[in-house]
Amino acid sequence: MHMRRTSRPTRPLRASGVLLAAVALLISACSSGSSTKTAATTEAALTALPRATPAALAPYYQQKLNWRSCGVPGFECATMKAPLDYAKPGAGDVRLAVSRKKATGPGKRLGSLLVNPGGPGGSAVGYLQSYAGIGYPAEVRARYDMVAVDPRGVARSEPVECLNGRAMDAFTQTDTTPDDGRETDQLVEAFKKFAEGCGQHSPELLRHVSTVEAARDMDILRAVLGDQKLSYVGASYGTFLGATYAGLYPDRVGRLVLDGALDPSLTARKLNEEQTAGFETAFQSFAKDCVRHSDCPLGDAGTSPDQVGRNLKVFFQQLDKEPIPAGDPDGRKVGEALATTGVIAAMYDETAWPQLRDALTSAMKKNDGSGLLALSDSYYERDADGQYANLMSANAAVNCLDLPAAFSGPDQVERALPAFEKASPVFGEGLAWASLNCAYWPVRNTGEPHRIEAKGAAPILVVGTTRDPATPYPWARSLASQLSSGTLLTYVGDGHTAYGRGSTCIDSTINRYLLQGTPPAKGKRCS
């Protein structure tokens, strides 16, 4: 799932396939809230773990971290051990990368504040060092040690690997709107090749990168850092990780901010379908904004958002037939798949809309796909040397373990196409087919949809943005209602997540909660 901002790199929640389509995420503002309520009331609740630490885990909880310089001024780094398999703690370890920046003062230190930017697959250490540790409000950084751990299988923590750079280039260009049986077979083969690569390169780790295991790792880190309770800010998928921690260890919850929330009670198909509607909501906002500008290539002031969408869809169909050059040194051209990813990337943050207008103008009027390719590469975390971060690999690995596959085969996708295309005439077809990837995963899922209640936890702050493309607003409403101590804070606006996006109301409310432990009044809304 997702475009991250230059100063504040957040990731898509769940990218399920070629389009990073969010294999299991959010409810959309365009869908009815009734489905969410039904799911939340019928699924079992996550069961808390015993309060006493099992003797077999004591060595992990008692370990000492050897802090050293990271090469980044002001930050320290260390490596933490966790059991690869919590059911068999003696069967081997996984090594997790940890980083921190100590509280700067003034004021009494409040402990550690763990941060996670989402994904799954986003590097929390990278997020800390590039943004949170230097960009969070000064009053928060003064009172907390800012801390991050890359979850197992991600970035610096024994990353899951699936395909090399050249193979990833081919994968990201695979047509996700097959026109016939031959193209459907090619898409299925691409998913199978990706899954087989993951199974070959990370066979043992692939069975142990679930969100539950990552949350248990966070509790080890809490103890090793010397904190009685966990304080945490999680964005996007990071909200699922934080809520899972609260469900497992409600008595150890400190101050938890869950920004851009995921609804854990939904199936993978429902998450994907509702996220598809979320992207349509965001696109409608982009379309209304685009036609107000003279450089909008999709219409003028009199063009309706629906017609803007139809114009973009026609352009995508043209690219499907004939990709356009992009000046890429590796010879890549921009076809429908890369162009769609580029547009989706810009839906995460409204500050990227001018860049998207420029990219579409160049592509549609000058036959130059370089702008769309740059957006797509940013989304996939592909560097100038043709190498990819492990975001895509880790994203699929976690998603396919956390939930049963959205679809078991092409026939199910074809039957679901009308619902997805109703959710988004622009993106529905591609996102439906992208949701097929977990059908071919080499290991079985260990998770199921569930509610998270975290009974007995301290107040938890859930933040939702009304026109969030990746984590539709109803997901935040649902999670806040599931959590026994959840409080919903609403941001009326565009973009993915709310903290640090320029709303003084949002930022001051979250800062007050982090510094004083005081959640906002019920029903608080900011713009």
Side-chain angles (χ1 to χ4, degrees), residues 476-502:
R477 284 206 313 252
S478 180
L479 180 60
S481 68
Q482 292 172 44
L483 292 166
S484 62
S485 61
T487 295
L488 177 63
L489 172 63
T490 298
Y491 174 56
V492 181
D494 296 294
H496 183 38
T497 72
Y499 191 36
R501 292 181 58 86

Side-chain angles (χ1 to χ4, degrees), residues 7-323:
S7 62
R8 181 176 170 275
T10 59
R11 260 343 239 179
L13 276 134
R14 295 186 167 236
S16 64
V18 176
L19 293 178
L20 280 189
V23 150
L25 283 176
L26 336 176
I27 291 175
S28 116
C30 291
S31 28
S32 73
S34 60
S35 64
T36 306
K37 183 175 181 181
T38 300
T41 53
T42 58
E43 299 299 339
L46 181 64
T47 302
L49 292 170
R51 293 191 178 190
T53 301
L57 295 180
Y60 296 102
Y61 276 80
Q62 295 166 3
Q63 67 185 294
K64 304 294 183 183
L65 297 185
N66 179 26
W67 294 103
R68 61 191 183 279
S69 171
C70 295
V72 181
F75 292 88
E76 298 176 299
C77 289
T79 300
M80 186 186 84
K81 292 182 180 180
L84 176 65
D85 184 351
Y86 276 91
K88 300 175 182 177
D93 299 335
V94 59
R95 295 176 179 271
L96 307 176
V98 182
S99 183
R100 75 176 177 188
K101 185 178 184 184
K102 289 186 177 180
T104 58
K108 181 181 178 181
R109 179 181 174 275
L110 294 174
S112 305
L113 182 63
L114 194 64
V115 298
N116 183 282
S123 172
V125 170
Y127 175 74
L128 175 74
Q129 294 176 357
S130 66
Y131 173 68
I134 56 177
Y136 266 35
E139 57 267 39
V140 173
R141 292 182 285 115
R143 305 286 299 281
Y144 284 100
D145 290 347
M146 301 294 295
V147 181
V149 56
D150 278 348
R152 51 177 61 206
V154 173
R156 300 163 176 85
S157 294
E158 301 193 17
V160 171
E161 300 291 351
C162 299
L163 300 176
N164 62 26
R166 190 166 294 276
M168 278 298 298
D169 279 348
F171 181 67
T172 59
Q173 295 176 76
T174 303
D175 185 358
T176 53
T177 57
D179 299 318
D180 52 36
R182 180 183 63 83
E183 290 189 350
T184 299
D185 291 343
Q186 290 174 344
L187 178 58
V188 168
E189 185 58 32
F191 283 138
K192 288 181 177 179
K193 183 177 180 180
F194 184 88
E196 289 168 0
C198 297
Q200 291 171 1
H201 295 134
S202 308
E204 293 302 318
L205 183 61
L206 212 59
R207 295 176 172 82
H208 298 289
V209 293
S210 70
T211 297
V212 166
E213 288 162 312
R216 298 190 69 173
D217 296 342
M218 283 167 43
D219 194 57
I220 293 177
L221 179 58
R222 172 202 58 78
V224 170
L225 293 171
D227 294 318
Q228 294 299 311
K229 296 181 180 291
L230 180 78
S231 291
Y232 172 87
V233 178
S236 196
Y237 161 80
T239 66
F240 182 40
L241 182 58
T244 299
Y245 180 91
L248 296 173
Y249 307 101
D251 58 307
R252 299 173 192 173
V253 168
R255 298 168 187 177
L256 264 61
V257 177
L258 308 179
D259 182 12
L262 168 66
D263 183 352
S265 72
L266 299 178
T267 64
R269 171 175 168 171
K270 197 65 179 173
L271 285 166
N272 286 349
E273 185 180 328
E274 293 184 345
Q275 192 184 53
T276 297
F279 279 110
E280 180 66 23
T281 297
F283 180 77
Q284 291 277 319
S285 290
F286 163 76
K288 292 174 184 176
D289 178 78
C290 186
V291 298
R292 296 190 186 109
H293 299 269
S294 59
D295 62 343
C296 179
L298 296 169
D300 55 29
T303 308
S304 70
D306 288 344
Q307 185 59 51
V308 170
R310 288 190 288 271
N311 293 343
L312 181 61
K313 188 69 174 177
V314 168
F315 175 59
F316 284 162
Q317 292 167 347
Q318 293 170 350
L319 293 177
D320 187 33
K321 297 177 181 177
E322 187 174 355

Side-chain angles (χ1 to χ4, degrees), residues 462 464 473 487-492 505-506 508-510 512 519-526:
V462 179
Y473 177 66
T487 295
L488 177 63
L489 172 63
T490 298
Y491 174 56
V492 181
C505 174
I506 287 288
S508 61
T509 302
I510 292 176
R512 186 180 308 113
K522 183 178 180 180
K524 185 173 180 65
R525 297 170 71 85
C526 297

